[in-house]
Amino acid sequence: MKTLILFVFVFATASVYAEPPAPTPEQVAEWVVLSKPVNLSANKVKRGERLTWGDTVWVYGYSAKKETLYTFVISLYKAGTLYGKNRSEMEKRIGEQAEKFAELAKKSPDQETEKMAKYVRIETRPDGRKVYFTVTGFGPGGAGFGGFTTIGQYDLLLEEITDSEDGLSKDQKLKNPAQPTKELPDILKQFEQYIISAK
């Protein structure tokens, strides 16, 4: 009888503290809404910087290399650990950059400044929670944009990475690759709702 009670207690405790699973490729495809159907696959990230950015729960990359140039990296960390001691400084820097790009977009609106104002900004959710968006990479090989926030026990990070296919000949490049029809902030909202619903 004692063994049974212990088993029930351990099972109940494990259930209460179970981490939310990573979203499926089908769920991510619904969030992103690509311009045409693709077969996204989910690959668990097992090495690299993202695993050192905080107390990692899981990190997954979602891609379809032969169908789209976009990869979405979705990461979950224990709350308060993402970027460690650099978090407040990073939030401050994003705030300063967001103000600068917003001002530039007003003074001399052009495609580049408007794009930067769109990708570097801070949103405030109805509950007062801040969501930070920034450029995570930019260069000849492609570009990366990301957004992060904290919900309850977790820090959430979403990155959208684009491969520019530089260095490939015209006949090697993807023909009519699928494009996301949702903006990064809208996709992150879906990820946030997923984590909220998983509580």
Side-chain angles (χ1 to χ4, degrees), residues 89-176:
E89 182 59 32
M90 190 167 192
E91 291 175 354
K92 180 184 174 186
R93 198 171 346 120
I94 291 171
E96 291 169 350
Q97 291 174 340
E99 285 180 16
K100 182 181 83 173
F101 287 125
E103 192 62 32
L104 279 172
K106 284 179 187 175
K107 285 182 180 176
S108 55
D110 62 44
Q111 193 174 9
E112 195 58 36
T113 56
E114 287 177 359
K115 184 178 180 181
M116 292 307 294
K118 182 173 79 170
Y119 283 111
V120 181
R121 69 180 204 246
I122 300 172
E123 291 184 358
T124 303
R125 297 290 185 249
D127 62 2
R129 179 169 45 84
K130 302 284 186 185
V131 185
Y132 298 84
F133 295 94
T134 190
V135 177
T136 58
F138 201 79
F145 303 97
F148 64 89
T149 189
T150 300
I151 295 178
Q153 304 173 63
Y154 304 105
D155 287 334
L156 288 62
L157 172 64
L158 169 67
E159 297 167 89
E160 177 184 285
I161 302 166
T162 314
D163 180 359
S164 64
E165 291 192 314
D166 284 351
L168 293 181
S169 62
K170 191 174 180 180
D171 62 315
Q172 290 177 307
K173 294 184 178 184
L174 288 183
K175 307 292 188 282
N176 191 27

Side-chain angles (χ1 to χ4, degrees), residues 44 160 187 193:
K44 188 171 187 179
E160 177 184 285
I187 301 168
Q193 191 53 53

Side-chain angles (χ1 to χ4, degrees), residues 2-198:
K2 287 181 181 178
T3 304
L4 178 60
I5 291 170
L6 180 60
F7 173 80
V8 170
F9 174 78
V10 169
F11 178 80
T13 304
S15 298
V16 169
Y17 293 103
E19 307 287 5
T24 65
E26 293 76 19
Q27 287 171 311
V28 173
E30 285 179 17
W31 301 350
V32 173
V33 190
L34 288 155
S35 57
K36 60 183 181 179
V38 303
N39 298 302
L40 283 182
S41 63
N43 296 294
K44 188 171 187 179
V45 175
K46 296 179 180 176
R47 60 184 177 177
E49 287 184 338
R50 289 177 184 85
L51 301 181
T52 68
W53 288 349
D55 187 350
T56 309
V57 178
W58 43 252
V59 179
Y60 277 83
Y62 297 81
S63 62
K65 296 292 185 185
K66 295 182 179 179
E67 299 170 272
T68 180
L69 299 175
Y70 287 82
T71 297
F72 296 89
V73 181
I74 300 179
S75 310
L76 193 70
Y77 303 90
K78 297 290 178 68
T81 68
L82 178 59
Y83 302 128
K85 295 176 181 177
N86 298 321
R87 174 74 172 260
S88 59
E89 182 59 32
M90 190 167 192
E91 291 175 354
K92 180 184 174 186
R93 198 171 346 120
I94 291 171
E96 291 169 350
Q97 291 174 340
E99 285 180 16
K100 182 181 83 173
F101 287 125
E103 192 62 32
L104 279 172
K106 284 179 187 175
K107 285 182 180 176
S108 55
D110 62 44
Q111 193 174 9
E112 195 58 36
T113 56
E114 287 177 359
K115 184 178 180 181
M116 292 307 294
K118 182 173 79 170
Y119 283 111
V120 181
R121 69 180 204 246
I122 300 172
E123 291 184 358
T124 303
R125 297 290 185 249
D127 62 2
R129 179 169 45 84
K130 302 284 186 185
V131 185
Y132 298 84
F133 295 94
T134 190
V135 177
T136 58
F138 201 79
F145 303 97
F148 64 89
T149 189
T150 300
I151 295 178
Q153 304 173 63
Y154 304 105
D155 287 334
L156 288 62
L157 172 64
L158 169 67
E159 297 167 89
E160 177 184 285
I161 302 166
T162 314
D163 180 359
S164 64
E165 291 192 314
D166 284 351
L168 293 181
S169 62
K170 191 174 180 180
D171 62 315
Q172 290 177 307
K173 294 184 178 184
L174 288 183
K175 307 292 188 282
N176 191 27
Q179 307 281 331
T181 64
K182 294 290 185 181
E183 298 285 349
L184 183 72
D186 295 323
I187 301 168
L188 183 57
K189 282 179 185 175
Q190 296 293 318
F191 180 25
E192 292 173 55
Q193 191 53 53
Y194 173 78
I195 295 300
I196 290 167
S197 299

